[in-house]
Amino acid sequence: AQKVTQAQTEISVVEKEDVTLDCVYETRDTTYYLFWYKQPPSGELVFLIRRNSFDEQNEISGRYSWNFQKSTSSFNFTITASQVVDSAVYFCALRDNYGQNFVFGPGTRLSVLP
Amino acid sequence: GAGVSQSPRYKVAKRGQDVALRCDPISGHVSLFWYQQALGQGPEFLTYFQNEAQLDKSGLPSDRFFAERPEGSVSTLKIQRTQQEDSAVYLCASSLGWNTEAFFGQGTRLTVV
């Protein structure tokens, strides 16, 4: 079965701190895609990053970086030098060949305090 | 259009009323999804189209929910005889292919009174 778990319900940090959001997934497929989305107070889900199951290379894009480890089924997301505008709910999502739809985790609410 | 467009943005329905929610996906996107998001929760899958074919409707909560995409572009989610538990934000998303990210609309907030 497909499942995405985000154990952190809420996180608060002070501006300029680094913050890591955890994501653990379950799938029976060997080919799958992982995503992070941001949902600011306006409500629209904004795509941030995508990773496929064959590429475990971790990357950095601006202030965002991610750590994908198949051995632990984890896909963690880090924001470096957080800003107040980063305050939002962050969702991890999985898409595989079995279900083809996106399965979302419950989300982590990030509050960045000035 | 530039993004996924949903209408109306807000809908208030009396219990028992039928509603229709519209989604205009990004032009050329093959896949279209409907999700339901309750307050404080993650999006829950409702149904998925590939072009005009509805490939998965396993998430529709009851037979009061019906979705269509007759020409493989615009989609409509219809809810018959609305109940209070149908109150939620309904999100539509589209993607170019199965291995690409989905882009979401701003959602329709449905309130059943």
Side-chain angles (χ1 to χ4, degrees), chain A residues 24-82:
Chain A
V24 174
Y25 62 91
E26 292 177 31
T27 176
R28 69 177 75 172
D29 263 347
T30 55
T31 300
Y32 52 90
Y33 293 83
L34 296 163
F35 306 83
W36 276 97
Y37 283 84
K38 173 183 179 180
Q39 189 172 44
S42 60
E44 187 170 347
L45 275 161
V46 178
F47 164 73
L48 296 176
I49 56 176
R50 175 188 66 170
R51 211 82 193 125
N52 72 57
S53 54
F54 296 112
D55 186 358
E56 286 190 76
Q57 182 179 353
N58 296 312
E59 292 188 19
I60 298 173
S61 176
R63 294 188 299 110
Y64 297 157
S65 62
W66 47 95
N67 185 344
F68 174 34
Q69 293 193 349
K70 286 178 76 170
S71 60
T72 55
S73 297
S74 66
F75 184 51
N76 298 336
F77 176 62
T78 298
I79 304 173
T80 302
S82 59

Side-chain angles (χ1 to χ4, degrees), chain B residues 41-56:
Chain B
Q41 298 185 21
E44 293 287 337
F45 171 72
L46 293 176
T47 187
Y48 160 57
F49 290 85
Q50 189 164 304
N51 294 307
E52 68 277 4
Q54 189 174 21
L55 297 187
D56 188 349

Side-chain angles (χ1 to χ4, degrees), chain A residues 37 39 44 50 95 100 102, chain B residues 35 37 98-99 102 106:
Chain A
Y37 283 84
Q39 189 172 44
E44 187 170 347
R50 175 188 66 170
R95 190 179 190 193
Q100 298 209 6
F102 291 77
Chain B
Y35 283 83
Q37 187 175 25
W98 95 265
N99 60 347
Q106 289 186 301

